[in-house]
Amino acid sequence: MLERAKPSQMLSARLRPQVPFALLGIFISDPARSLFVGAGPHGARFAAELLTELGARQRTVDAELSSEETISAIQRAAKTGDDSKIPMIAALLQPEESGFSGDTQVELRLVAVQALRNLVPAFPGGWPGWQAVRGLLQKVALEDVAVEELRLCSIQALKEVSRRDAHDEALSVAFNILQDTTAGRELRLAAGSILQAIAVPNDVEVARAALLALDERYSCSLRTHAVQAIRTCAGPRGTSPWLIAELARLAARSEWPEARLEAMNLLGQLERFGGEGMQAAAAALDDKDEQVACAAVRAIGGLWPPEPGQSCDQALYALISLLQQAKSSELRCEVLLVLPRLVGRGISKAARAAGARLADEDISVSNAAAQALRKMSLRGDRELQEMLLEYLAHSDLEVCKVAVELLGFVSERGDEGERALIALREGPDEELAKLANASLRRL
């Protein structure tokens, strides 16, 4: 191991400005040397400042410089825009050359990264040491042996400077961390925040990394970062078919319901109307997770085109089948909310499926069915009329009242529905008589 230099040896640093790090017992590594070359003629200034400070504090040059004094000096020296401090700070990031070990080494390296975070943003884009600084931060962020706090600090520094030509380094760090199944939660979350920060429209590589982050079960915050990055990368609706295909694959194959849910939500927002995402949404109606199936229903509603095609017919019949068979009341309500927007008026099969839910055991489903029928009913629909006439004898008065109201939407003059309404208007139940009279006025 290299020996730390004594302050008495360090005085010669003024005579050898090409090695200004001798003051701290640091021998310049390649990255640090490239920084020093770009730092201009100020290489020995930091050494002189430290020696002056020691003298002001009545310290002799025979005393060693402690780690606490080194840290304090770095913090005071890291003034925004003074690039003469960068070489020494960068050298401290090399763990094998810092002259310290253990917790002291970690603390020194943390201070060095924080100092770079303060210094670098003030430099112009053409600063010669810019590339080397990015490389150093990338290296520390990916160190397996580094403590997590140090890696997180480096990641945050990369994120802050990522918009200034550090896109590739930031993306590399994020992608490597997300691929590492042993990476901790905080590191993965930091990687996700980088993706959100560097995402721009049509950035395929960032989108691929975000898809990796989206397939996550335990971190809602990481999935949120991934969703935002994907939305940014996707651009206008329907302009990223490869991304739609990847989201459809994720919605179908991910083992995590949370990931399938987010993928389905994104499909409904990013796919073109009537696109292939409609088929993926129809397939997801059978998802074993209720929330994913609900998201698929909403996605179909969001993707429905002005002029429906064959794929839309398949999706519609899948929704009707789901309404008839779904055990979840929330899922039945979702279908009933979407159906009227898809079929308009005149789709008898959809109306009958909604009519079958008027007597649903869940009052919210029954109310949703009534609301849907008010929008879907078509005058002269005999099959729906027959169903409503049967409801007039239902034991639940509320179901009877809804049936009376809806008969006013489907019945015609002289048909069985009008005759039933006239009978109710003349009947003993005053409330039903008023409703029947109102329905007759609609004929």
Side-chain angles (χ1 to χ4, degrees):
M1 182 174 178
L2 298 174
E3 295 183 358
R4 295 173 54 194
K6 300 288 186 177
S8 57
Q9 299 170 323
M10 297 171 189
L11 286 173
S12 60
R14 302 181 186 180
L15 302 177
R16 295 181 288 107
Q18 71 275 17
V19 192
F21 310 116
L23 176 67
L24 299 179
I26 299 169
F27 294 87
I28 309 175
S29 63
D30 289 339
R33 182 178 292 108
S34 63
L35 287 168
F36 172 64
V37 170
H42 312 295
R45 183 185 301 172
F46 189 75
E49 288 179 2
L50 281 181
L51 289 173
T52 300
E53 182 178 328
L54 287 173
R57 295 167 60 184
Q58 297 182 346
R59 295 283 304 276
T60 67
V61 296
D62 291 327
E64 291 190 2
L65 190 66
S66 69
S67 61
E68 291 79 7
E69 289 168 326
T70 304
I71 291 171
S72 178
I74 294 171
Q75 291 171 335
R76 285 191 296 273
K79 299 175 182 178
T80 301
D82 188 353
D83 64 354
S84 67
K85 309 303 186 300
I86 295 273
M88 181 278 305
I89 295 171
L92 285 175
L93 289 177
Q94 310 301 318
E96 68 278 3
E97 299 171 359
S98 66
F100 298 98
S101 60
D103 293 343
T104 299
Q105 181 191 89
V106 172
E107 188 174 4
L108 277 169
R109 299 183 77 199
L110 274 172
V111 171
V113 171
Q114 291 164 353
L116 286 178
R117 288 177 61 182
N118 292 333
L119 287 167
V120 171
F123 297 154
W127 176 58
W130 180 226
Q131 183 176 0
V133 166
R134 302 196 313 257
L136 281 169
L137 292 175
Q138 179 184 11
K139 178 182 177 182
V140 175
L142 293 176
E143 277 185 16
D144 292 334
V145 295
V147 297
E148 186 170 292
E149 184 181 2
L150 178 58
R151 295 182 67 183
L152 287 171
C153 190
S154 297
I155 291 171
Q156 184 62 31
L158 264 180
K159 175 185 172 183
E160 291 172 359
V161 301
S162 60
R163 294 184 180 89
R164 298 184 55 205
D165 301 323
H167 174 280
D168 292 346
E169 290 83 0
L171 175 59
S172 174
V173 167
F175 194 77
N176 276 277
I177 289 175
L178 292 170
Q179 281 189 313
D180 182 3
T181 57
T182 64
R185 180 181 181 277
E186 292 301 321
L187 283 173
R188 296 177 66 80
L189 186 59
S193 70
I194 283 183
L195 295 178
Q196 184 176 348
I198 66 177
V200 294
N202 302 315
D203 192 327
V204 174
E205 296 305 319
V206 171
R208 292 193 187 282
L211 286 168
L212 194 61
L214 188 61
D215 197 8
E216 165 76 33
R217 181 180 188 181
Y218 298 106
S219 178
C220 176
S221 298
L222 176 56
R223 292 195 303 273
T224 299
H225 285 311
V227 166
Q228 294 299 328
I230 289 172
R231 283 176 179 162
T232 301
C233 294
R237 180 187 281 268
T239 58
S240 300
W242 73 269
L243 182 55
I244 296 301
E246 288 298 317
L247 287 171
R249 182 195 61 77
L250 189 63
R253 300 180 184 177
S254 175
E255 61 179 313
W256 313 123
E258 296 85 356
R260 299 197 301 274
L261 173 62
E262 295 293 359
M264 187 53 58
N265 286 334
L266 285 168
L267 273 176
Q269 299 163 11
L270 304 179
E271 171 65 304
R272 62 183 175 85
F273 297 114
E276 295 181 1
M278 182 83 74
Q279 298 177 6
L285 293 175
D286 295 327
D287 195 285
K288 58 185 178 181
D289 185 88
E290 176 183 320
Q291 294 304 314
V292 178
C294 286
V297 173
R298 294 190 294 269
I300 291 174
L303 296 175
W304 201 261
E307 298 181 3
Q310 184 176 0
S311 64
C312 296
D313 292 340
Q314 295 172 351
L316 175 59
Y317 290 131
L319 283 173
I320 293 173
S321 176
L322 181 64
L323 178 59
Q324 295 169 338
Q325 301 174 16
K327 297 180 179 180
S328 163
S329 59
E330 181 181 357
L331 190 51
R332 298 197 296 274
C333 280
E334 287 286 354
V335 176
L336 288 165
L337 289 173
V338 166
L339 269 183
R341 301 204 307 268
L342 310 187
V343 302
R345 296 179 181 270
I347 306 299
S348 182
K349 186 173 182 179
R352 292 198 307 274
R357 289 300 178 184
L358 280 177
D360 195 280
E361 59 185 12
D362 190 307
I363 186 63
S364 62
V365 178
S366 178
N367 290 338
Q371 188 63 28
L373 285 170
R374 292 185 182 101
K375 299 175 181 178
M376 290 193 296
S377 299
L378 180 67
R379 194 168 301 283
D381 187 337
R382 293 288 181 259
E383 294 185 11
L384 180 58
Q385 185 186 69
E386 290 176 6
M387 183 180 292
L388 294 173
L389 289 171
E390 292 177 3
Y391 279 132
L392 294 180
H394 200 277
S395 58
D396 189 332
L397 179 60
E398 293 302 317
V399 174
C400 294
K401 289 162 63 175
V402 172
V404 171
E405 177 194 354
L406 291 173
L407 278 171
F409 290 100
V410 300
S411 300
E412 295 179 308
R413 292 287 182 181
D415 67 7
E416 187 176 352
E418 184 188 30
R419 291 192 291 273
L421 289 173
I422 292 173
L424 286 171
R425 185 180 61 182
E426 306 300 330
D429 191 308
E430 293 185 2
E431 190 172 7
L432 288 178
K434 291 180 180 179
L435 288 171
N437 188 52
S439 293
L440 284 168
R441 291 197 189 103
R442 297 193 187 98
L443 303 185

